[in-house]
């Protein structure tokens, strides 16, 4: 489901990170949760055009490998790397069926990754793939739709997005259509919004422990740019949530 949708987007996907929710909410929250990566190796799963791969390499990661199911996304990431070389490696791969890698990583990232599992079994396969790709004690950082979100943030479009249920259910949770209001035209993507227990059980089954849900925050730069009142609705009805855990 994910690969075909993203093949038609390519480098336009970079525009997502300029929208208020991403620029002042997701990005600083996720970077803050992962923290210091200096000298560490990072596996960026569902890397898209490599935004977080580049961010963590610039922050001192010793090695970063980005993997995405979409050939067009990887082509866009490689084109950016060619224009601005940072020493990043990218490859096309399905996280649920990823080839055994020739090394293990200190950190794995899963930004809007596990929500593309079509079933609980597929999510468990994804989580096992991540676990076997990490060193013992390696950390896995996840960002996904808040499992408790009830499509009740009335001003979500103010932050650059629309999020609506499709009326269909997958085994992991309801299907959701997310539209990003990009210029010159909006881009819509359909994925599942897995239930909290599906995330937790899949990760524990794969061998992760120390699971911790981490709320989205708004950066000081976002408050300076828009004021506190602008963000009140988003923080009262957050559509995104993060999760961290450790490979035991």
């Amino acid at each position: 489901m994910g690969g075909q949708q993203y093949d038609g987007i390519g480098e336009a996907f970079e525009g997502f990170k300029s929208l208020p929710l991403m620029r002042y909410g997701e990005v600083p929250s996720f970077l803050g949760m992962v923290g210091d990566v200096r000298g560490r190796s990072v596996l960026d799963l569902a890397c898209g055009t490599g935004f977080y791969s580049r961010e963590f390499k610039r922050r001192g990661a010793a090695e970063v490998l980005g993997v995405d199911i979409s050939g067009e996304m990887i082509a866009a990431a490689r084109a950016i790397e060619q224009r601005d070389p940072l020493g990043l490696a990218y490859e096309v791969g399905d996280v649920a069926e990823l080839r055994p890698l020739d090394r293990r990583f200190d950190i794995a990232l899963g930004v809007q990754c596990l929500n593309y599992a079509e079933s609980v079994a597929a999510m468990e396969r994804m989580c096992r793939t991540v676990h076997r790709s990490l060193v013992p004690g390696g950390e896995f950082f996840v960002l996904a739709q808040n499992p408790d979100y009830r499509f009740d943030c009335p001003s979500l479009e103010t932050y650059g997005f629309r999020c609506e249920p499709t009326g269909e259910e997958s085994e992991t949770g309801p299907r959701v259509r997310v539209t990003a209001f990009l210029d010159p035209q909006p881009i819509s993507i359909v994925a599942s919004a897995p239930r909290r227990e599906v995330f937790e059980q899949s990760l524990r089954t794969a061998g992760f422990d120390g699971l911790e849900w981490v709320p989205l925050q708004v950066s000081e730069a976002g408050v300076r740019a828009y004021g506190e009142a602008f963000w009140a609705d988003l923080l009262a009805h957050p559509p995104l949530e993060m999760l961290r855990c450790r490979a035991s």
Side-chain angles (χ1 to χ4, degrees):
M1 179 171 63
Q4 293 176 343
Q5 294 184 94
Y6 284 93
D7 279 344
I9 298 174
E11 202 163 324
F13 188 66
E14 286 287 297
F16 277 59
K17 297 298 189 276
S18 68
L19 299 173
L21 173 58
M22 302 289 105
R23 182 176 180 181
Y24 297 113
E26 178 202 296
V27 173
S29 294
F30 192 71
L31 294 176
M33 177 176 67
V34 177
D36 188 359
V37 298
R38 286 175 294 181
R40 306 181 78 188
S41 55
V42 178
L43 176 62
D44 186 5
L45 299 165
C47 69
T49 52
F51 177 87
Y52 284 110
S53 297
R54 296 191 301 275
E55 286 294 317
F56 285 114
K57 193 68 170 69
R58 291 187 183 111
R59 283 165 168 74
E63 176 187 359
V64 181
L65 172 63
V67 179
D68 199 279
I69 196 172
S70 166
E72 289 300 316
M73 284 288 177
I74 292 298
R78 287 172 173 164
I80 295 170
E81 169 68 13
Q82 190 170 22
R83 293 197 302 266
D84 181 17
L86 293 172
L88 297 165
Y90 296 103
E91 67 177 64
V92 178
D94 181 348
V95 177
E97 311 292 344
L98 191 64
R99 69 172 180 83
L101 302 174
D102 56 7
R103 59 153 304 153
R104 292 189 174 193
F105 292 78
D106 300 312
I107 292 170
L109 314 176
V111 175
Q112 302 291 12
C113 173
L114 298 181
N115 46 310
Y116 287 102
E118 293 287 344
S119 64
V120 173
M123 186 181 287
E124 289 180 356
R125 287 198 303 274
M126 284 182 168
C127 293
R128 288 192 180 97
T129 293
V130 179
H131 189 276
R132 74 163 183 258
S133 302
L134 286 170
V135 299
E139 296 176 285
F140 184 29
F141 298 95
V142 175
L143 184 138
Q145 181 162 318
N146 178 352
D148 299 325
Y149 184 59
R150 295 295 175 259
F151 311 99
D152 52 358
C153 180
S155 63
L156 187 59
E157 293 187 17
T158 306
Y159 311 110
F161 288 87
R162 177 186 299 143
C163 182
E164 53 197 345
T166 67
E168 302 172 308
E169 287 271 338
S170 73
E171 188 180 8
T172 63
R175 292 201 191 281
V176 175
R177 178 179 294 102
V178 175
T179 301
F181 293 103
L182 299 177
D183 191 23
Q185 62 183 20
I187 293 175
S188 292
I189 297 165
V190 175
S192 296
R195 297 181 297 278
R196 195 175 297 273
E197 64 268 20
V198 173
F199 279 116
E200 294 177 354
Q201 185 59 47
S202 296
L203 288 163
R204 290 193 176 104
T205 297
F208 288 97
D209 59 22
L211 274 67
E212 178 189 1
W213 289 94
V214 181
L216 204 72
Q217 304 289 336
V218 172
S219 69
E220 292 183 5
V223 174
R224 287 195 302 270
Y226 290 93
E228 288 188 15
F230 175 83
W231 299 105
D233 193 27
L234 179 76
L235 294 175
H237 309 90
L240 301 173
E241 193 169 8
M242 305 181 297
L243 173 65
R244 62 189 304 163
C245 55
R246 189 178 300 275
S248 54

